[in-house]
């Protein structure tokens, strides 16, 4: 699945962006399910593992290490990879999920990137006449439909191998 970028051709969605699309209610733009920052962080780290930017150096302790420090061109992924590379001491996957989850406004940043792609629209909703809430209603339903079709196909098939991205998405969602 890919989205057309004006100057670079097709640009695939990242795992954390796919997760956000699945978590947001299409019309209201609010979180349809409880998506803590830890799920978004897990998707960010899964993407970095798939792209081989980070790896698990010690299988027993599951210590993450930087493997390739070249930027991917995505601010959220690049920031997480840079933090891992700059860390003086290696830490476990679970520790890094917590650290990345602590990134300021992580799920809002992910939603804003989908707004830049023309998939969502950033809006504000007033609650009880006092509080403002950021909401992200869907503008283009096609990317989410493709994700759902891919997930259904993977879960329904007993013979076809599942690609790494789909397997990672199922693992993050099931956690």
């Amino acid at each position: 699945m890919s989205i057309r970028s004006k100057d670079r051709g097709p640009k695939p969605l990242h795992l954390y962006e796919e997760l956000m699309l699945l978590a947001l209610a299409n019309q209201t733009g609010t979180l349809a399910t409880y998506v803590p920052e830890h799920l978004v962080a897990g998707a960010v780290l899964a993407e970095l593992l798939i792209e081989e930017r980070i790896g698990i150096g010690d299988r027993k302790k599951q210590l993450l290490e930087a493997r390739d420090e070249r930027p991917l061109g995505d601010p959220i992924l690049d920031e997480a990879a840079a933090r891992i590379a700059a860390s003086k001491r290696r830490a476990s996957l679970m520790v890094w999920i917590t650290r990345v989850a602590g990134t300021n406004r992580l799920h809002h940043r992910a939603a804003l990137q989908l707004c830049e792609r023309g998939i969502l629209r950033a809006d504000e909703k007033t609650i009880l006449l006092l509080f403002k809430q950021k909401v992200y209603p869907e503008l283009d339903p096609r990317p989410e439909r493709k994700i759902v079709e891919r997930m259904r196909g993977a879960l329904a098939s007993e013979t076809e191998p599942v690609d790494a991205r789909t397997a990672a998405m199922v693992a993050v969602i099931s956690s």
Side-chain angles (χ1 to χ4, degrees):
M1 170 193 22
S2 60
I3 305 301
R4 287 235 168 251
S5 174
K6 290 179 186 172
D7 51 358
R8 286 180 249 140
K11 187 176 180 186
L13 293 176
H14 296 291
L15 286 174
Y16 69 87
E17 292 171 317
E18 290 182 349
L19 181 73
M20 285 304 300
L21 275 179
L22 295 174
L24 289 168
N26 298 343
Q27 281 74 35
T28 63
T30 58
L31 289 173
T33 59
Y34 178 68
V35 179
E37 304 293 317
H38 286 77
L39 280 179
V40 178
V44 167
L45 293 175
E47 182 93 31
L48 292 173
L49 283 164
I50 289 168
E51 294 293 329
E52 298 180 353
R53 298 301 202 232
I54 61 173
I56 299 175
D58 181 341
R59 294 276 180 210
K60 187 175 180 183
K61 295 181 182 178
Q62 292 191 347
L63 299 178
L64 285 186
E65 60 187 19
R67 295 232 169 114
D68 184 347
E69 295 184 35
R70 290 177 296 147
L72 287 163
D74 178 85
I76 293 173
L77 293 174
D78 291 343
E79 181 181 331
R83 285 180 65 190
I84 293 168
S87 178
K88 292 185 191 313
R89 291 177 28 172
R90 294 187 307 162
S92 71
L93 180 61
M94 294 308 294
V95 167
W96 276 110
I97 287 174
T98 301
R99 288 179 183 172
V100 173
T103 302
N104 192 24
R105 301 175 42 83
L106 183 60
H107 82 269
H108 288 289
R109 288 176 58 197
L112 287 172
Q113 284 189 201
L114 291 165
C115 292
E116 290 172 10
R117 292 175 181 260
I119 299 169
L120 302 178
R121 178 184 81 238
D123 227 342
E124 225 174 55
K125 175 173 125 177
T126 304
I127 302 171
L128 299 175
L129 303 172
L130 296 172
F131 306 102
K132 301 277 186 197
Q133 177 186 16
K134 295 276 186 195
V135 294
Y136 305 95
E138 192 172 64
L139 293 175
D140 183 359
R142 292 174 297 174
E144 184 179 14
R145 271 191 242 135
K146 288 181 181 179
I147 297 165
V148 170
E149 288 170 17
R150 190 181 85 223
M151 301 295 283
R152 283 186 180 145
L155 294 172
S157 176
E158 293 181 21
T159 58
E160 292 295 315
V162 177
D163 67 286
R165 296 179 61 73
T166 303
M169 179 64 83
V170 170
V172 169
I173 289 172
S174 67
S175 69

mmCIF file of all heavy atoms in Angstrom, residues 29-69:
data_model
loop_
_atom_site.group_PDB
_atom_site.id
_atom_site.type_symbol
_atom_site.label_atom_id
_atom_site.label_comp_id
_atom_site.label_asym_id
_atom_site.label_seq_id
_atom_site.Cartn_x
_atom_site.Cartn_y
_atom_site.Cartn_z
ATOM 1 N N GLY A 29 -12.926 11.260 14.343
ATOM 2 C CA GLY A 29 -11.500 11.525 14.474
ATOM 3 C C GLY A 29 -10.960 11.337 15.868
ATOM 4 O O GLY A 29 -9.835 11.722 16.173
ATOM 5 N N THR A 30 -11.774 10.742 16.744
ATOM 6 C CA THR A 30 -11.311 10.452 18.104
ATOM 7 C C THR A 30 -10.795 9.020 18.147
ATOM 8 O O THR A 30 -11.073 8.217 17.253
ATOM 9 C CB THR A 30 -12.464 10.604 19.120
ATOM 10 O OG1 THR A 30 -13.524 9.717 18.742
ATOM 11 C CG2 THR A 30 -12.972 12.033 19.163
ATOM 12 N N LEU A 31 -10.070 8.705 19.182
ATOM 13 C CA LEU A 31 -9.556 7.348 19.313
ATOM 14 C C LEU A 31 -10.723 6.403 19.561
ATOM 15 O O LEU A 31 -11.440 6.531 20.546
ATOM 16 C CB LEU A 31 -8.532 7.257 20.445
ATOM 17 C CG LEU A 31 -7.198 7.947 20.166
ATOM 18 C CD1 LEU A 31 -6.321 7.945 21.403
ATOM 19 C CD2 LEU A 31 -6.482 7.294 19.011
ATOM 20 N N ALA A 32 -10.918 5.472 18.625
ATOM 21 C CA ALA A 32 -12.000 4.499 18.731
ATOM 22 C C ALA A 32 -11.669 3.447 19.770
ATOM 23 O O ALA A 32 -12.549 2.836 20.353
ATOM 24 C CB ALA A 32 -12.254 3.838 17.382
ATOM 25 N N THR A 33 -10.408 3.224 19.979
ATOM 26 C CA THR A 33 -9.946 2.283 20.990
ATOM 27 C C THR A 33 -8.891 2.995 21.820
ATOM 28 O O THR A 33 -8.361 4.025 21.420
ATOM 29 C CB THR A 33 -9.303 1.035 20.343
ATOM 30 O OG1 THR A 33 -8.208 1.461 19.531
ATOM 31 C CG2 THR A 33 -10.307 0.277 19.511
ATOM 32 N N TYR A 34 -8.590 2.416 22.944
ATOM 33 C CA TYR A 34 -7.556 2.991 23.790
ATOM 34 C C TYR A 34 -6.210 2.642 23.183
ATOM 35 O O TYR A 34 -5.815 1.486 23.121
ATOM 36 C CB TYR A 34 -7.674 2.439 25.214
ATOM 37 C CG TYR A 34 -6.610 2.951 26.124
ATOM 38 C CD1 TYR A 34 -6.584 4.293 26.506
ATOM 39 C CD2 TYR A 34 -5.612 2.122 26.582
ATOM 40 C CE1 TYR A 34 -5.595 4.771 27.336
ATOM 41 C CE2 TYR A 34 -4.615 2.590 27.413
ATOM 42 C CZ TYR A 34 -4.619 3.921 27.785
ATOM 43 O OH TYR A 34 -3.634 4.400 28.604
ATOM 44 N N VAL A 35 -5.526 3.640 22.662
ATOM 45 C CA VAL A 35 -4.204 3.419 22.062
ATOM 46 C C VAL A 35 -3.187 4.198 22.876
ATOM 47 O O VAL A 35 -2.953 5.369 22.643
ATOM 48 C CB VAL A 35 -4.167 3.892 20.590
ATOM 49 C CG1 VAL A 35 -2.786 3.680 20.007
ATOM 50 C CG2 VAL A 35 -5.200 3.165 19.780
ATOM 51 N N PRO A 36 -2.619 3.528 23.861
ATOM 52 C CA PRO A 36 -1.614 4.244 24.642
ATOM 53 C C PRO A 36 -0.378 4.510 23.791
ATOM 54 O O PRO A 36 -0.149 3.859 22.769
ATOM 55 C CB PRO A 36 -1.301 3.284 25.788
ATOM 56 C CG PRO A 36 -1.670 1.940 25.282
ATOM 57 C CD PRO A 36 -2.786 2.160 24.298
ATOM 58 N N GLU A 37 0.385 5.457 24.225
ATOM 59 C CA GLU A 37 1.612 5.805 23.515
ATOM 60 C C GLU A 37 2.527 4.586 23.374
ATOM 61 O O GLU A 37 3.302 4.506 22.433
ATOM 62 C CB GLU A 37 2.337 6.931 24.258
ATOM 63 C CG GLU A 37 1.507 8.181 24.494
ATOM 64 C CD GLU A 37 1.163 8.933 23.218
ATOM 65 O OE1 GLU A 37 2.040 9.088 22.369
ATOM 66 O OE2 GLU A 37 0.015 9.367 23.098
ATOM 67 N N HIS A 38 2.382 3.623 24.271
ATOM 68 C CA HIS A 38 3.230 2.426 24.216
ATOM 69 C C HIS A 38 2.983 1.608 22.949
ATOM 70 O O HIS A 38 3.905 1.008 22.409
ATOM 71 C CB HIS A 38 3.023 1.561 25.468
ATOM 72 C CG HIS A 38 3.659 2.151 26.682
ATOM 73 N ND1 HIS A 38 3.103 3.212 27.365
ATOM 74 C CD2 HIS A 38 4.805 1.850 27.319
ATOM 75 C CE1 HIS A 38 3.887 3.532 28.371
ATOM 76 N NE2 HIS A 38 4.932 2.728 28.368
ATOM 77 N N LEU A 39 1.745 1.573 22.457
ATOM 78 C CA LEU A 39 1.474 0.846 21.207
ATOM 79 C C LEU A 39 2.114 1.551 20.020
ATOM 80 O O LEU A 39 2.691 0.905 19.144
ATOM 81 C CB LEU A 39 -0.035 0.714 20.974
ATOM 82 C CG LEU A 39 -0.744 -0.376 21.742
ATOM 83 C CD1 LEU A 39 -2.231 -0.376 21.420
ATOM 84 C CD2 LEU A 39 -0.149 -1.727 21.467
ATOM 85 N N VAL A 40 2.014 2.864 19.988
ATOM 86 C CA VAL A 40 2.642 3.627 18.908
ATOM 87 C C VAL A 40 4.158 3.438 18.987
ATOM 88 O O VAL A 40 4.817 3.205 17.966
ATOM 89 C CB VAL A 40 2.253 5.122 18.976
ATOM 90 C CG1 VAL A 40 2.950 5.909 17.886
ATOM 91 C CG2 VAL A 40 0.735 5.292 18.854
ATOM 92 N N ALA A 41 4.705 3.496 20.191
ATOM 93 C CA ALA A 41 6.146 3.302 20.373
ATOM 94 C C ALA A 41 6.568 1.898 19.932
ATOM 95 O O ALA A 41 7.613 1.726 19.294
ATOM 96 C CB ALA A 41 6.529 3.531 21.831
ATOM 97 N N GLY A 42 5.758 0.901 20.244
ATOM 98 C CA GLY A 42 6.051 -0.463 19.813
ATOM 99 C C GLY A 42 6.081 -0.571 18.296
ATOM 100 O O GLY A 42 6.948 -1.250 17.719
ATOM 101 N N ALA A 43 5.166 0.130 17.623
ATOM 102 C CA ALA A 43 5.144 0.130 16.155
ATOM 103 C C ALA A 43 6.363 0.857 15.588
ATOM 104 O O ALA A 43 6.928 0.438 14.574
ATOM 105 C CB ALA A 43 3.849 0.768 15.649
ATOM 106 N N VAL A 44 6.800 1.921 16.243
ATOM 107 C CA VAL A 44 8.002 2.646 15.809
ATOM 108 C C VAL A 44 9.218 1.725 15.900
ATOM 109 O O VAL A 44 10.005 1.613 14.949
ATOM 110 C CB VAL A 44 8.218 3.928 16.659
ATOM 111 C CG1 VAL A 44 9.604 4.510 16.447
ATOM 112 C CG2 VAL A 44 7.143 4.966 16.339
ATOM 113 N N LEU A 45 9.373 1.048 17.027
ATOM 114 C CA LEU A 45 10.522 0.159 17.196
ATOM 115 C C LEU A 45 10.442 -1.048 16.265
ATOM 116 O O LEU A 45 11.466 -1.489 15.734
ATOM 117 C CB LEU A 45 10.648 -0.275 18.656
ATOM 118 C CG LEU A 45 11.016 0.849 19.624
ATOM 119 C CD1 LEU A 45 10.998 0.367 21.056
ATOM 120 C CD2 LEU A 45 12.366 1.446 19.276
ATOM 121 N N ALA A 46 9.236 -1.560 16.027
ATOM 122 C CA ALA A 46 9.080 -2.673 15.087
ATOM 123 C C ALA A 46 9.526 -2.254 13.689
ATOM 124 O O ALA A 46 10.206 -3.007 12.988
ATOM 125 C CB ALA A 46 7.624 -3.152 15.068
ATOM 126 N N GLU A 47 9.164 -1.036 13.300
ATOM 127 C CA GLU A 47 9.582 -0.518 11.990
ATOM 128 C C GLU A 47 11.105 -0.409 11.912
ATOM 129 O O GLU A 47 11.715 -0.775 10.908
ATOM 130 C CB GLU A 47 8.951 0.851 11.738
ATOM 131 C CG GLU A 47 9.268 1.450 10.401
ATOM 132 C CD GLU A 47 8.246 1.131 9.343
ATOM 133 O OE1 GLU A 47 7.062 0.975 9.668
ATOM 134 O OE2 GLU A 47 8.650 1.045 8.171
ATOM 135 N N LEU A 48 11.728 0.086 12.975
ATOM 136 C CA LEU A 48 13.187 0.199 12.991
ATOM 137 C C LEU A 48 13.855 -1.171 12.941
ATOM 138 O O LEU A 48 14.907 -1.327 12.313
ATOM 139 C CB LEU A 48 13.646 0.986 14.219
ATOM 140 C CG LEU A 48 13.290 2.470 14.232
ATOM 141 C CD1 LEU A 48 13.641 3.093 15.577
ATOM 142 C CD2 LEU A 48 13.976 3.208 13.099
ATOM 143 N N LEU A 49 13.257 -2.164 13.567
ATOM 144 C CA LEU A 49 13.788 -3.527 13.504
ATOM 145 C C LEU A 49 13.662 -4.092 12.087
ATOM 146 O O LEU A 49 14.597 -4.687 11.562
ATOM 147 C CB LEU A 49 13.066 -4.431 14.503
ATOM 148 C CG LEU A 49 13.479 -4.271 15.963
ATOM 149 C CD1 LEU A 49 12.455 -4.904 16.896
ATOM 150 C CD2 LEU A 49 14.854 -4.868 16.198
ATOM 151 N N ILE A 50 12.499 -3.898 11.469
ATOM 152 C CA ILE A 50 12.274 -4.399 10.104
ATOM 153 C C ILE A 50 13.249 -3.741 9.131
ATOM 154 O O ILE A 50 13.792 -4.386 8.239
ATOM 155 C CB ILE A 50 10.811 -4.151 9.669
ATOM 156 C CG1 ILE A 50 9.877 -5.089 10.445
ATOM 157 C CG2 ILE A 50 10.642 -4.356 8.164
ATOM 158 C CD1 ILE A 50 8.414 -4.745 10.310
ATOM 159 N N GLU A 51 13.476 -2.446 9.312
ATOM 160 C CA GLU A 51 14.388 -1.697 8.438
ATOM 161 C C GLU A 51 15.858 -1.940 8.791
ATOM 162 O O GLU A 51 16.747 -1.353 8.180
ATOM 163 C CB GLU A 51 14.077 -0.197 8.498
ATOM 164 C CG GLU A 51 12.734 0.181 7.925
ATOM 165 C CD GLU A 51 12.662 -0.031 6.424
ATOM 166 O OE1 GLU A 51 13.692 0.100 5.733
ATOM 167 O OE2 GLU A 51 11.556 -0.340 5.943
ATOM 168 N N GLU A 52 16.092 -2.752 9.819
ATOM 169 C CA GLU A 52 17.432 -3.106 10.289
ATOM 170 C C GLU A 52 18.264 -1.894 10.717
ATOM 171 O O GLU A 52 19.477 -1.871 10.581
ATOM 172 C CB GLU A 52 18.169 -3.950 9.241
ATOM 173 C CG GLU A 52 17.463 -5.258 8.968
ATOM 174 C CD GLU A 52 18.161 -6.125 7.946
ATOM 175 O OE1 GLU A 52 19.142 -5.681 7.315
ATOM 176 O OE2 GLU A 52 17.723 -7.279 7.797
ATOM 177 N N ARG A 53 17.586 -0.877 11.241
ATOM 178 C CA ARG A 53 18.276 0.282 11.803
ATOM 179 C C ARG A 53 18.720 -0.003 13.227
ATOM 180 O O ARG A 53 19.668 0.574 13.724
ATOM 181 C CB ARG A 53 17.373 1.518 11.794
ATOM 182 C CG ARG A 53 16.943 1.966 10.423
ATOM 183 C CD ARG A 53 18.160 2.290 9.583
ATOM 184 N NE ARG A 53 17.791 3.175 8.499
ATOM 185 C CZ ARG A 53 18.089 2.945 7.232
ATOM 186 N NH1 ARG A 53 18.766 1.874 6.898
ATOM 187 N NH2 ARG A 53 17.742 3.781 6.297
ATOM 188 N N ILE A 54 17.962 -0.879 13.893
ATOM 189 C CA ILE A 54 18.316 -1.338 15.227
ATOM 190 C C ILE A 54 18.241 -2.863 15.218
ATOM 191 O O ILE A 54 17.671 -3.458 14.306
ATOM 192 C CB ILE A 54 17.380 -0.759 16.324
ATOM 193 C CG1 ILE A 54 15.924 -1.181 16.093
ATOM 194 C CG2 ILE A 54 17.526 0.761 16.414
ATOM 195 C CD1 ILE A 54 14.971 -0.796 17.209
ATOM 196 N N GLY A 55 18.821 -3.460 16.229
ATOM 197 C CA GLY A 55 18.774 -4.914 16.342
ATOM 198 C C GLY A 55 18.829 -5.319 17.800
ATOM 199 O O GLY A 55 19.104 -4.498 18.679
ATOM 200 N N ILE A 56 18.571 -6.572 18.047
ATOM 201 C CA ILE A 56 18.641 -7.103 19.397
ATOM 202 C C ILE A 56 19.979 -7.819 19.506
ATOM 203 O O ILE A 56 20.200 -8.847 18.880
ATOM 204 C CB ILE A 56 17.457 -8.035 19.697
ATOM 205 C CG1 ILE A 56 16.157 -7.237 19.568
ATOM 206 C CG2 ILE A 56 17.604 -8.649 21.083
ATOM 207 C CD1 ILE A 56 14.904 -8.045 19.712
ATOM 208 N N GLY A 57 20.890 -7.226 20.284
ATOM 209 C CA GLY A 57 22.243 -7.750 20.390
ATOM 210 C C GLY A 57 22.367 -8.924 21.329
ATOM 211 O O GLY A 57 23.058 -9.883 21.045
ATOM 212 N N ASP A 58 21.709 -8.868 22.445
ATOM 213 C CA ASP A 58 21.770 -9.930 23.438
ATOM 214 C C ASP A 58 20.385 -10.556 23.513
ATOM 215 O O ASP A 58 19.460 -9.972 24.062
ATOM 216 C CB ASP A 58 22.180 -9.343 24.792
ATOM 217 C CG ASP A 58 22.295 -10.387 25.891
ATOM 218 O OD1 ASP A 58 21.741 -11.493 25.746
ATOM 219 O OD2 ASP A 58 22.951 -10.083 26.902
ATOM 220 N N ARG A 59 20.226 -11.733 22.934
ATOM 221 C CA ARG A 59 18.911 -12.383 22.867
ATOM 222 C C ARG A 59 18.311 -12.632 24.250
ATOM 223 O O ARG A 59 17.103 -12.522 24.431
ATOM 224 C CB ARG A 59 18.996 -13.698 22.096
ATOM 225 C CG ARG A 59 19.334 -13.528 20.650
ATOM 226 C CD ARG A 59 18.090 -13.235 19.872
ATOM 227 N NE ARG A 59 18.441 -13.063 18.466
ATOM 228 C CZ ARG A 59 17.805 -12.295 17.650
ATOM 229 N NH1 ARG A 59 16.771 -11.619 18.057
ATOM 230 N NH2 ARG A 59 18.173 -12.177 16.398
ATOM 231 N N LYS A 60 19.138 -13.003 25.193
ATOM 232 C CA LYS A 60 18.631 -13.323 26.528
ATOM 233 C C LYS A 60 18.046 -12.087 27.215
ATOM 234 O O LYS A 60 16.953 -12.122 27.749
ATOM 235 C CB LYS A 60 19.748 -13.932 27.378
ATOM 236 C CG LYS A 60 19.277 -14.436 28.711
ATOM 237 C CD LYS A 60 20.397 -15.121 29.451
ATOM 238 C CE LYS A 60 19.896 -15.614 30.800
ATOM 239 N NZ LYS A 60 20.963 -16.210 31.570
ATOM 240 N N LYS A 61 18.780 -10.999 27.189
ATOM 241 C CA LYS A 61 18.326 -9.769 27.847
ATOM 242 C C LYS A 61 17.546 -8.860 26.912
ATOM 243 O O LYS A 61 16.994 -7.860 27.333
ATOM 244 C CB LYS A 61 19.519 -9.005 28.416
ATOM 245 C CG LYS A 61 20.213 -9.753 29.528
ATOM 246 C CD LYS A 61 21.370 -8.947 30.064
ATOM 247 C CE LYS A 61 22.091 -9.721 31.139
ATOM 248 N NZ LYS A 61 23.245 -9.002 31.651
ATOM 249 N N GLN A 62 17.522 -9.180 25.614
ATOM 250 C CA GLN A 62 16.852 -8.386 24.580
ATOM 251 C C GLN A 62 17.313 -6.926 24.586
ATOM 252 O O GLN A 62 16.517 -6.002 24.588
ATOM 253 C CB GLN A 62 15.333 -8.467 24.725
ATOM 254 C CG GLN A 62 14.784 -9.834 24.429
ATOM 255 C CD GLN A 62 13.280 -9.844 24.319
ATOM 256 O OE1 GLN A 62 12.610 -8.895 24.695
ATOM 257 N NE2 GLN A 62 12.746 -10.918 23.798
ATOM 258 N N LEU A 63 18.632 -6.736 24.594
ATOM 259 C CA LEU A 63 19.192 -5.394 24.577
ATOM 260 C C LEU A 63 19.242 -4.869 23.148
ATOM 261 O O LEU A 63 19.782 -5.519 22.252
ATOM 262 C CB LEU A 63 20.602 -5.403 25.178
ATOM 263 C CG LEU A 63 20.701 -5.861 26.638
ATOM 264 C CD1 LEU A 63 22.152 -5.872 27.078
ATOM 265 C CD2 LEU A 63 19.855 -4.989 27.535
ATOM 266 N N LEU A 64 18.687 -3.682 22.956
ATOM 267 C CA LEU A 64 18.682 -3.068 21.625
ATOM 268 C C LEU A 64 19.999 -2.370 21.372
ATOM 269 O O LEU A 64 20.605 -1.814 22.288
ATOM 270 C CB LEU A 64 17.556 -2.038 21.506
ATOM 271 C CG LEU A 64 16.144 -2.550 21.354
ATOM 272 C CD1 LEU A 64 15.196 -1.385 21.101
ATOM 273 C CD2 LEU A 64 16.014 -3.574 20.265
ATOM 274 N N GLU A 65 20.397 -2.392 20.112
ATOM 275 C CA GLU A 65 21.605 -1.672 19.718
ATOM 276 C C GLU A 65 21.367 -1.050 18.344
ATOM 277 O O GLU A 65 20.598 -1.563 17.539
ATOM 278 C CB GLU A 65 22.805 -2.613 19.684
ATOM 279 C CG GLU A 65 22.650 -3.768 18.710
ATOM 280 C CD GLU A 65 23.777 -4.780 18.826
ATOM 281 O OE1 GLU A 65 24.470 -4.807 19.853
ATOM 282 O OE2 GLU A 65 23.949 -5.545 17.868
ATOM 283 N N ALA A 66 22.036 0.066 18.107
ATOM 284 C CA ALA A 66 21.959 0.728 16.806
ATOM 285 C C ALA A 66 22.781 -0.076 15.806
ATOM 286 O O ALA A 66 23.881 -0.507 16.119
ATOM 287 C CB ALA A 66 22.489 2.150 16.912
ATOM 288 N N ARG A 67 22.236 -0.266 14.607
ATOM 289 C CA ARG A 67 22.949 -1.015 13.573
ATOM 290 C C ARG A 67 23.245 -0.152 12.355
ATOM 291 O O ARG A 67 24.226 -0.359 11.668
ATOM 292 C CB ARG A 67 22.125 -2.230 13.146
ATOM 293 C CG ARG A 67 21.953 -3.243 14.259
ATOM 294 C CD ARG A 67 22.357 -4.619 13.801
ATOM 295 N NE ARG A 67 22.432 -5.540 14.920
ATOM 296 C CZ ARG A 67 21.650 -6.571 15.093
ATOM 297 N NH1 ARG A 67 20.710 -6.842 14.201
ATOM 298 N NH2 ARG A 67 21.808 -7.351 16.139
ATOM 299 N N ASP A 68 22.383 0.779 12.064
ATOM 300 C CA ASP A 68 22.536 1.630 10.881
ATOM 301 C C ASP A 68 21.994 3.003 11.257
ATOM 302 O O ASP A 68 20.800 3.156 11.496
ATOM 303 C CB ASP A 68 21.760 1.036 9.705
ATOM 304 C CG ASP A 68 21.947 1.795 8.408
ATOM 305 O OD1 ASP A 68 22.485 2.931 8.434
ATOM 306 O OD2 ASP A 68 21.539 1.270 7.359
ATOM 307 N N GLU A 69 22.874 3.987 11.300
ATOM 308 C CA GLU A 69 22.476 5.310 11.777
ATOM 309 C C GLU A 69 22.023 6.256 10.669
ATOM 310 O O GLU A 69 21.701 7.409 10.940
ATOM 311 C CB GLU A 69 23.618 5.934 12.585
ATOM 312 C CG GLU A 69 23.899 5.142 13.852
ATOM 313 C CD GLU A 69 24.958 5.773 14.721
ATOM 314 O OE1 GLU A 69 25.033 7.022 14.774
ATOM 315 O OE2 GLU A 69 25.715 5.021 15.344
#
